[in-house]
Amino acid sequence: MSNARFRSGAAGDLRAPDFAPDRPCSELRELFAPLDRLLVSGGDARLDLDPRTGRNAYGCSPSPRGGMTSFSSSTATTISQRGFERAGRARDRLMEAAIAVGLVDAFDTCIEATRSELKDCLGLHPSGADVVFSASGTDAQIQALFLVQSILGLPLTTVIVGADQTGSGTSFTALGRHFSDRTSLGARVRKGEPIEGLAGSVTSLAVPLTQADGSSRSVQDIDGQVVGMVERAIAGGARVLLQTMDSSKLGWRAPSDECLRQIADRWPGSVQVVVDACQMRLGRSRLARYLDRGFMVLLTGSKFFAGPPFSGALLVPGSMAGEIGAIAEIPPGLRDYSCRTDWPARWSALRGCFPGRPNFGQWLRWEAALGEISAYYRLPEDFRRSAERELGVGIARLIEASPSLRPLPAEGRDGDDNLDGEMAWPTIFPFRIERRGRALAAPECRDIYRALAGREDASPIGQPVVLGRGEEAPTALRMSIDARQVSESWCADDEVARRNLRSLLDDAATSVAQIETLVGQSDRQETRAGVHEH
């Protein structure tokens, strides 16, 4: 079924055969590929590069680029010099170890070290939680669906909270269907068709965070809909995978903590909560509480942490380890999405069901992301708090002062300083654009987004998010704070650190001014077109 290949778009194909223990050095040929080529291997078409620009569809390059600060972390960011160099060192270590002990053992050791470091950074070791790696947050949703099916059984209903503010692939993965025409391990498939062995007896229900007109829904309204959907599904004989949102593309969290507590108390053993935390805009204490309550958590090393796209993971609470360790069979289609080393070594029976071929690109992207994650958490907590607060206040003021930008209200998030730390404050700042009193719709916002993403002298921003239904619905763009901005601003000299933060805000002001320029150009073009028509 799988053609066992890594593809990297314009960079060419990278073969990914199963490990060959009797040929310990022959597989090393892949690792001699240029590092930027390796970094876009082992993923789906979203990593493909445009041969004209050397960038993917999000405007990101697999090698570092100078220029303006990026405010696009709510979507994706280009790899940093720090991340690129760390990935290069990781590859060198793997090659040296592989020559000594063989690629199988060497890669196992490297992956487990990456897993352990991520757990250290996130404070997971005391909880007993474990990490399942994947090529993206969307791929991690497929892993979660498989585990929930294995534990709860079928039929299964997935309830997706924030379905209008999550990744576009979620509508497919929630049903166990292919979300692209190519899997992360290179298999050619048909988007929307069932993943073999995973899609049977699965239904899906969507809970949007906005009304049809684009206005936000109340927490009480969302909570009520979620409870009603869960209740009806269980009454109909199904088990429920409840995917909650923390945080959405606009920084919102739903349903409420109280709603989740009520569901867990009312239907133990019938509902498995999976928290979509792919933005990673939550505190480590909140993350630990989710896992302590038996919730799975989806995360990425990109987004807030500003690692290269795409790197996903599924955090599994320690309380589930025994049940998962007993799984010894997988759906055939899952072999096209996950390899052996994605799964913790202690789950040997489950691990043995997956192909042994390595996903070097996925691992190297996580190594690069860990460079950003570890740098961020090495900073004094007081500085992280003050820096994000200062940047957030400054960006919000710039948006409010702009003639054409209209900030969206900060709704749908109940920040708790004890649980979230610096993340109790917003780090995503969504706004609409108005021209002559009219809010720009999705096509016009996409044009502005692409124009900024394609300029060397511009600061990229987050992708447009359609608020409501239809192409003419209100649409938001976003400016975001990320971990890289904070860590690169740090200095033991307070005055230098303040200057660094002010410099970031100067870049943010330039970005706002560039948006205003693009709006003005579009306005003049529209005016000229109207004159010519008359």
Side-chain angles (χ1 to χ4, degrees), residues 403-421:
S404 302
L405 276 53
R406 301 291 180 265
L408 295 182
E411 299 180 70
R413 185 176 179 90
D414 53 342
D416 182 330
D417 193 64
N418 292 324
L419 287 175
D420 288 313

Side-chain angles (χ1 to χ4, degrees), residues 93-431:
R93 288 195 304 273
L94 173 60
M95 293 175 73
E96 291 172 5
I99 292 170
V101 302
L103 191 54
V104 174
D105 291 340
F107 194 64
D108 259 352
T109 299
C110 288
I111 286 287
E112 288 305 308
T114 304
R115 199 185 317 273
S116 182
E117 184 177 355
L118 178 58
K119 289 162 72 172
D120 278 339
C121 287
L122 299 180
L124 300 183
H125 280 296
S127 70
D130 225 322
V131 178
V132 182
F133 286 122
S134 62
S136 70
T138 316
D139 290 84
Q141 290 174 331
I142 294 173
Q143 294 169 333
L145 179 64
F146 155 63
L147 291 179
V148 175
Q149 284 186 7
S150 300
I151 293 169
L152 294 186
L154 296 171
L156 185 72
T157 296
T158 57
V159 176
I160 307 299
V161 183
D164 54 343
Q165 289 187 35
T166 187
S168 59
T170 300
S171 60
F172 299 101
T173 59
L175 292 167
R177 295 179 178 274
H178 298 293
F179 64 89
S180 177
D181 291 330
R182 189 178 78 229
T183 74
S184 57
L185 294 185
R188 290 291 180 181
V189 295
R190 289 185 181 274
K191 182 177 179 179
E193 289 196 350
I195 299 172
E196 186 180 356
L198 195 66
S201 300
V202 179
T203 58
S204 178
L205 300 170
V207 180
L209 301 184
T210 57
Q211 308 279 6
D213 64 359
S215 60
S216 59
R217 301 175 63 194
S218 69
V219 173
Q220 294 79 10
D221 187 23
I222 294 170
D223 285 358
Q225 185 178 11
V226 169
V227 171
M229 284 181 171
V230 171
E231 184 173 37
R232 287 189 291 274
I234 292 175
R239 298 293 185 264
V240 174
L241 187 165
L242 173 58
Q243 183 171 306
T244 68
M245 181 58 71
D246 189 354
S247 64
S248 75
K249 290 181 177 181
L250 301 184
W252 298 353
R253 176 184 292 138
S256 69
D257 285 344
E258 177 59 22
C259 177
L260 292 178
R261 186 194 64 77
Q262 291 178 6
I263 289 172
D265 289 348
R266 187 172 173 187
W267 295 292
S270 296
V271 180
Q272 176 61 52
V273 174
V274 178
V275 181
D276 181 349
C278 286
Q279 286 283 342
M280 280 308 290
R281 299 176 192 274
L282 75 170
R284 288 185 289 187
S285 294
R286 183 178 291 276
L287 184 64
R289 191 171 79 167
Y290 283 145
L291 293 164
D292 288 344
R293 294 169 72 179
F295 300 170
M296 296 181 185
V297 181
L298 305 164
L299 60 83
T300 67
S302 53
K303 302 297 192 292
F304 175 74
F305 287 125
F310 289 85
S311 52
L314 173 67
L315 302 185
V316 180
S319 59
M320 299 177 67
E323 292 175 289
I324 294 173
I327 299 173
E329 186 178 354
I330 65 171
L334 200 59
R335 292 172 57 86
D336 290 326
Y337 284 92
S338 193
C339 58
R340 189 173 304 154
T341 50
D342 293 343
W343 302 82
R346 61 174 171 162
W347 299 340
S348 57
L350 175 58
R351 210 168 178 258
C353 298
F354 289 92
R357 57 185 179 272
N359 191 332
F360 293 132
Q362 174 185 301
W363 168 62
L364 290 172
R365 292 192 294 275
W366 261 114
E367 280 290 312
L370 273 169
E372 309 297 346
I373 297 170
S374 59
Y376 177 76
Y377 282 122
R378 282 197 300 268
L379 300 176
E381 183 177 353
D382 286 347
F383 178 76
R384 299 200 309 264
R385 287 174 179 259
S386 62
E388 288 175 37
R389 179 78 188 278
E390 182 172 343
L391 290 173
V393 169
I395 291 172
R397 286 175 176 169
L398 287 169
I399 293 172
E400 289 170 358
S402 170
S404 302
L405 276 53
R406 301 291 180 265
L408 295 182
E411 299 180 70
R413 185 176 179 90
D414 53 342
D416 182 330
D417 193 64
N418 292 324
L419 287 175
D420 288 313
E422 64 267 35
M423 293 298 174
W425 297 95
T427 57
I428 298 177
F429 300 88
F431 56 89

